[in-house]
Amino acid sequence: PAPVTPAAADDFISGTLNLDFNSHFISYGNDVWGDGDSMSEPTFNPSLEIALELPAGFVFTLGTWWDVNSKGGSESSPLGGRIQEVDVWTGLAYTVGDFTTKLTYQNWMYAGGTEDVIDLSFSYACFLNPSLTVHHRLDTGDVAGSFDSNGDFAPGDEGTVLVLGLSHSVEAGPVTISFPLNIAYFVDDDFHAP
C-alpha cells in the first residue's frame, strides 16, 4: 500500500511585521503632531506582533509599535534620538468558528511618561469582516497627549471610544490589498478636550 502522508501541522507561532510611513499620526481622531494640511515630513511607524497558538482556540499576542520622526524636537526626546513613542501590548484572543473576541492591555510610552489602555474587541470573519472595539484609556498618565496650536503639549486623553469596523481584502499573488472603514463614537464628550 502507498505510504500515508501525515497532515501538515499548523503553525504554533506566527508574526506580523509592518514598516509603515504615514503622512500624519492620527490617534482616535486626534492629529497628534498637529500637522493639519502639512505633508512636510512623514512618520515612520514600524510594528511587530507575535502570536502563539494555545490549546482550545486561544491565541496569546505580544507586540510593539514605534513612532520615529524628528517632530517635536527630536534632540529632547526622552526615548532617544528620533524615537518619539514606543507602545507595547499583550493580549489574549479566543475564537469559536468565525467569531473572535480579544482582550488587549497596552502601555504607551512617550514624552517622558506612560499611558495605559485596555481594548476589548469582537470580530466576525466573513465578506466584510465586521468588528467592534471598546477602547478605554485608563488614565491620562503623566504625559501630554499632543501638541496644541501654540506648539505646547496638550493633556492626554481619558475615557472610552467605541470603534465599528468593516474590512474587505483582495489577494493578488503575494500581495493582499485591504479596504478598511472605521467609525468611532466617543462615549465621553470631552475625550479630546485640552
Side-chain angles (χ1 to χ4, degrees):
V4 177
T5 304
D10 291 336
D11 292 334
F12 170 71
I13 184 169
S14 61
T16 303
L17 173 66
N18 291 311
L19 303 172
D20 296 332
F21 285 91
N22 296 298
S23 62
H24 291 71
F25 177 2
I26 306 296
S27 177
Y28 292 86
N30 188 30
D31 184 355
V32 172
W33 291 108
D35 289 329
D37 294 336
S38 173
M39 301 285 278
S40 62
E41 182 188 351
T43 62
F44 176 49
N45 303 121
S47 65
L48 174 66
E49 182 173 271
I50 304 297
L52 301 171
E53 296 284 340
L54 302 176
F58 286 95
V59 175
F60 173 77
T61 56
L62 186 64
T64 185
W65 177 93
W66 295 32
D67 182 26
V68 182
N69 63 68
S70 60
K71 299 177 183 185
S74 63
E75 66 279 351
S76 62
S77 172
L79 299 175
R82 295 170 52 110
I83 301 171
Q84 304 291 345
E85 180 175 343
V86 175
D87 302 345
V88 293
W89 65 85
T90 185
L92 186 64
Y94 179 68
T95 301
V96 175
D98 293 330
F99 180 77
T100 300
T101 184
K102 182 176 182 181
L103 182 65
T104 306
Y105 166 76
Q106 304 168 58
N107 185 261
W108 298 354
M109 297 169 276
Y110 60 98
T114 63
E115 188 173 357
D116 296 314
V117 179
I118 294 283
D119 281 355
L120 176 62
S121 62
F122 307 92
S123 61
Y124 185 75
C126 64
F127 178 73
L128 290 177
N129 299 305
S131 64
L132 173 66
T133 300
V134 180
H135 173 84
H136 183 71
R137 310 266 177 102
L138 298 174
D139 57 37
T140 60
D142 55 353
V143 298
S146 62
F147 289 101
D148 63 18
S149 59
N150 298 324
D152 298 321
F153 274 116
D157 302 316
E158 183 176 26
T160 303
V161 181
L162 304 177
V163 182
L164 177 63
L166 298 173
S167 178
H168 181 67
S169 297
V170 177
E171 292 189 19
V175 176
T176 300
I177 301 169
S178 62
F179 303 92
L181 171 67
N182 292 301
I183 298 173
Y185 172 75
F186 295 89
V187 176
D188 305 283
D189 291 338
D190 58 350
F191 186 84
H192 285 308

